[in-house]
Amino acid sequence: MSIEIKAPTFPESVADGTIATWHKQPGEACSADDLIVDIETDKVVLEVVAPEDGVISEILKGEGGTVLSDEVIAHFTPGAAGAAAPAAAEAAASAGDADKVGPAARKLIEENGLDASAIPGSGKNGGITKEDVQNFMKNGAPAPAPAAAPAAPAPAAPSVNVVAGERVEKRVPMTRLRATIAKRLVEAQQSAAMLTTYNEVNMKPVMELRKQYKDLFEKTHNGTRLGFMSFFVKAATEALKKFPAVNASIDGNDMVYHGYQDIGVAVSTERGLMVPVLRDTDAMSLADVEGTIADFGKRGREGKLGMDDMQGGTFTITNGGVFGSLMSTPILNPPQTAILGMHKIQERPMAVNGQVEILPMMYLALSYDHRMIDGKEAVQFLVTIKDLLEDPARMLLEV
């Protein structure tokens, strides 16, 4: 008896998805809950697992194919691998080496005119994966000879060496996630009256507080480390309460003021930038913020962030400083009206009470939508964050 393997049920905001990678091939044994296929949507990569022990008897949607919510993408046969193995073997006999080539790898081979038999496979039973083809091309795959070339092989040799040796190019389609990020960033720049205001903050008070209490903090909160992001989240939360327009969004001709603070924190992953959201940050402690951000980062690297993690958000913080950025202009995350950019902490000579001191300084950037926020509010919002960070006790006293 065959079981239908279906795509997950997508939220209303997601129209369809793309088959990213088949981790199991027809005839290959699967255990219950083994990962079968990754489906990439506009926001996250969803995993589909085996319903029970058995084998995939048929794949209906190959890698790169578009799927709708709850669409059947494969047929699964419960039981031992032997139940589907004869069918797989029969197909292999008729198709030859083609069965050893995955759908994505086959497409790449055809596009570049490569010989599949010359490509070493690293997959199961010597199967050729997309990565095998890419590595083969990167390491200098010989150019395919034209149909009329056999009569004059010698003249063709020099051109083969030139092509294979240097100036290799690789054309890779954008992933759905990367294409969506690009589209949203362009839309943000085209549809919003975006401006950026800058300031700088002396990080010495926060750094000294962190140095004094980080060991006790980690011990008290079961290994949660005290970083800088929690201070910025709490400072931004207090500033958002004082300046509601920065915490608002635009919906058509309406301005929507949110009575809560849901702050998105940009997380860089191999698949692209993701912005999971901290909910009700006003009610979160520093330990709650640090623990949740650490969990977001871990799940982001593993590709396990869910759609619920990234829905909503009333304000965003992005930290280019972890990569060494000294100053940048962050782009709005629609429909939000503002985003805060953190940067690298850099020691600089500063004038303090008529004396020159070397202080750890950070440039802050606030990009905002001028349709919703006036320049005065934007500047005062950023100054509020600066003041709270330079005197962290104010966050505890809420003054």
Side-chain angles (χ1 to χ4, degrees), residues 55-96:
V55 295
I56 296 176
S57 53
E58 182 183 12
I59 290 177
L60 303 179
K61 288 282 186 177
E63 292 181 0
T66 300
V67 296
L68 302 176
S69 181
D70 294 321
E71 182 178 355
V72 179
I73 57 176
H75 290 124
F76 185 86
T77 303
E90 185 179 345
S94 60

Side-chain angles (χ1 to χ4, degrees), residues 120-202:
S122 62
K124 189 175 180 67
N125 296 325
I128 299 173
T129 65
K130 181 179 178 181
E131 290 72 20
D132 293 332
V133 180
Q134 291 173 340
N135 291 335
F136 182 73
M137 295 170 63
K138 182 178 179 181
N139 294 332
S159 62
V160 170
N161 292 336
V162 172
V163 173
E166 299 293 339
R167 301 173 63 82
V168 176
E169 293 183 355
K170 180 172 70 172
R171 185 182 296 271
V172 179
M174 272 192 182
T175 64
R176 178 180 289 263
L177 181 61
R178 173 57 61 188
T180 301
I181 292 172
K183 180 181 177 182
R184 286 175 61 85
L185 293 179
V186 171
E187 286 178 351
Q189 289 184 305
Q190 292 177 341
S191 62
M194 193 174 75
L195 281 78
T196 304
T197 183
Y198 299 93
N199 214 314
E200 59 184 351
V201 57
N202 174 16

Side-chain angles (χ1 to χ4, degrees), residues 89-370:
E90 185 179 345
S94 60
D97 290 339
D99 263 1
K100 293 184 178 181
V101 184
R106 184 179 298 111
K107 181 180 179 182
L108 204 56
I109 288 172
E110 292 173 354
E111 288 178 349
N112 292 275
L114 302 176
D115 181 6
S117 63
I119 301 174
S122 62
K124 189 175 180 67
N125 296 325
I128 299 173
T129 65
K130 181 179 178 181
E131 290 72 20
D132 293 332
V133 180
Q134 291 173 340
N135 291 335
F136 182 73
M137 295 170 63
K138 182 178 179 181
N139 294 332
S159 62
V160 170
N161 292 336
V162 172
V163 173
E166 299 293 339
R167 301 173 63 82
V168 176
E169 293 183 355
K170 180 172 70 172
R171 185 182 296 271
V172 179
M174 272 192 182
T175 64
R176 178 180 289 263
L177 181 61
R178 173 57 61 188
T180 301
I181 292 172
K183 180 181 177 182
R184 286 175 61 85
L185 293 179
V186 171
E187 286 178 351
Q189 289 184 305
Q190 292 177 341
S191 62
M194 193 174 75
L195 281 78
T196 304
T197 183
Y198 299 93
N199 214 314
E200 59 184 351
V201 57
N202 174 16
M203 292 296 293
K204 184 176 180 180
V206 170
M207 293 175 71
E208 289 182 342
L209 187 65
R210 178 174 177 265
K211 181 179 180 181
Q212 183 177 354
Y213 292 107
K214 67 177 183 179
D215 293 337
L216 180 60
F217 184 92
E218 185 172 347
K219 181 179 179 180
T220 304
H221 298 288
N222 300 317
T224 300
R225 295 184 177 181
L226 180 60
F228 295 117
M229 183 61 81
S230 55
F231 289 97
F232 280 86
V233 169
K234 296 304 288 183
T237 300
E238 294 303 317
L240 290 171
K241 290 192 288 185
K242 292 184 179 181
F243 300 94
V246 185
N247 195 48
S249 58
I250 294 179
D251 185 8
N253 290 325
D254 296 331
M255 297 184 294
V256 182
Y257 291 88
H258 307 290
Y260 51 87
Q261 296 79 37
D262 287 354
I263 297 181
V265 179
V267 174
S268 180
T269 71
E270 290 183 358
R271 292 187 171 99
L273 190 69
M274 297 183 178
V275 189
V277 179
L278 298 164
R279 311 288 178 183
D280 295 312
T281 54
D282 186 35
M284 298 180 75
S285 66
L286 294 179
D288 292 334
V289 173
E290 291 292 352
T292 307
I293 291 175
D295 178 61
F296 283 156
K298 180 176 182 292
R299 288 194 288 140
R301 290 187 294 273
E302 296 173 351
K304 294 182 178 179
L305 281 174
M307 291 185 183
D308 291 342
D309 295 322
M310 290 178 282
Q311 296 282 8
T314 61
F315 183 76
T316 297
I317 300 176
T318 180
N319 184 9
V322 295
F323 304 110
S325 172
L326 189 61
M327 181 178 286
S328 66
T329 302
I331 299 178
L332 294 175
N333 184 19
Q336 298 170 21
T337 54
I339 179 172
L340 176 69
M342 299 167 54
H343 298 94
K344 177 183 177 182
I345 298 174
Q346 180 75 45
E347 287 192 341
R348 294 201 299 274
M350 303 295 294
V352 180
N353 298 324
Q355 301 292 323
V356 176
E357 293 186 23
I358 305 298
L359 297 175
M361 304 297 294
M362 177 192 288
Y363 287 119
L364 299 180
L366 180 75
S367 292
Y368 61 98
D369 191 339
H370 210 339

